[in-house]
Amino acid sequence: MMDPIMDLNLWITLCSVGFLAGLIDAIAGGGGMLTVPTLLTSGLPPHIALGTNKLAATFGSLTASITFYKKKLFDPTFWRLSMLFTALGAIIGTLIVSSLSVSFLEKALPVLIIITAIYTLIAKNVVCNEEGLPDPTPTLKITQSIQGFVLGLYDGVAGPGTGAFWTASSSALYKINILLSCGLARSGNFVSNFCSLLTFIYLGSVNALLGISMGVFIMAGSWVGAHSAIKFGSRFIRPFFIIIVVIMSCNLAYQAWTQ
């Protein structure tokens, strides 16, 4: 099997994809729908591809989450239950995927990514204009816990589209505007990425050099994307995301069914 790091052209391609993925992920989520299949086609085994993607994605999600926090679009105290259960779900999800066979993952991951891309394309986002956070009620705490665990679990098992799922579900569940939803999504994504990464490292399923290289470019893309999202708001986010998802869906369908 070819070592992707030894091929300079492939390395440049992966880092370029990293920048684009960071840009996408910071704006509306879904950057993993681009990075995971790219890592798979580079020749990495599925478990290593997922672990390496988590390392790279952690750079971008940290950059974007800090940006939204500084802009007061994420309150860590208010969302602490969400983050706690996200961490728990991510660890369990990573342990689950580590037990699956390579042949199964090679067949399942492209299909899962295509389904995710199609869903995020056709799903109607709940558009809310409320500027503040919802009232802290017992029901809210239960909702936060369930949402965090489910999305953390999914991110641990696969990952692509997690940010988009965070954004869409947060708008629907809490009736908050899209920038607050994006702030929560970026922070939730960072927590699940980081916890899943630690688990993959423990399992020895991370290509550190490639992950760090991609991560640096993802950070740059995330910085640009986060500031663009905050500056232009939902009028920029929604059309941009639809265009990117259409492109990725077509690309993934071609890879899945013609090779």
Side-chain angles (χ1 to χ4, degrees), residues 30-47:
M33 285 187 281
L34 187 59
T35 56
V36 172
T38 303
L39 286 166
L40 288 171
T41 56
S42 75
L44 289 177
H47 294 100

Side-chain angles (χ1 to χ4, degrees), residues 237-249:
I237 295 172
R238 182 62 178 169
F240 184 90
F241 188 40
I242 289 176
I243 292 170
I244 295 299
V245 169
V246 168
I247 294 172
M248 288 190 295
S249 298

Side-chain angles (χ1 to χ4, degrees), residues 110-168:
V111 176
L112 178 62
I113 294 169
I114 291 172
I115 293 172
T116 302
I118 293 173
Y119 170 79
T120 53
L121 175 63
I122 65 177
K124 294 183 178 180
N125 285 345
V126 178
V127 179
C128 302
N129 297 315
E130 296 294 330
E131 296 297 328
L133 296 170
D135 295 329
T137 64
T139 302
L140 177 70
K141 293 181 180 180
I142 295 173
T143 303
Q144 288 177 330
S145 302
I146 294 174
Q147 181 198 29
F149 181 80
V150 170
L151 293 178
L153 184 72
Y154 172 75
D155 200 17
V157 171
T162 305
F165 293 150
W166 266 108
T167 302

Side-chain angles (χ1 to χ4, degrees), residues 51-217:
T52 302
N53 179 65
K54 283 291 181 286
L55 174 56
T58 298
F59 282 81
S61 57
L62 174 61
T63 303
S65 63
I66 290 175
T67 301
F68 277 90
Y69 172 74
K70 287 182 176 180
K71 297 292 184 178
K72 301 186 184 302
L73 293 171
F74 175 73
D75 182 347
T77 302
F78 185 86
W79 299 110
R80 61 183 180 275
L81 270 180
S82 296
M83 300 301 101
L84 175 62
F85 278 87
T86 297
L88 179 62
I91 293 171
I92 294 175
T94 305
L95 293 173
I96 290 173
V97 77
S98 68
S99 67
L100 301 176
S101 69
V102 171
S103 60
F104 175 80
L105 288 176
E106 287 176 341
K107 295 176 181 177
L109 281 175
V111 176
L112 178 62
I113 294 169
I114 291 172
I115 293 172
T116 302
I118 293 173
Y119 170 79
T120 53
L121 175 63
I122 65 177
K124 294 183 178 180
N125 285 345
V126 178
V127 179
C128 302
N129 297 315
E130 296 294 330
E131 296 297 328
L133 296 170
D135 295 329
T137 64
T139 302
L140 177 70
K141 293 181 180 180
I142 295 173
T143 303
Q144 288 177 330
S145 302
I146 294 174
Q147 181 198 29
F149 181 80
V150 170
L151 293 178
L153 184 72
Y154 172 75
D155 200 17
V157 171
T162 305
F165 293 150
W166 266 108
T167 302
S169 62
S170 297
S171 295
L173 291 171
Y174 310 117
K175 302 299 186 290
I176 55 179
N177 66 45
I178 193 164
L179 288 179
L180 289 175
S181 295
C182 285
L184 173 57
R186 302 291 75 76
S187 298
N189 222 6
F190 166 69
V191 169
S192 58
N193 279 336
F194 184 69
C195 292
S196 181
L197 170 63
L198 292 180
T199 309
F200 273 119
I201 290 175
Y202 174 77
L203 296 169
S205 299
V206 177
N207 186 317
L209 183 56
L210 185 54
I212 292 172
S213 299
M214 289 186 70
V216 171
F217 283 86

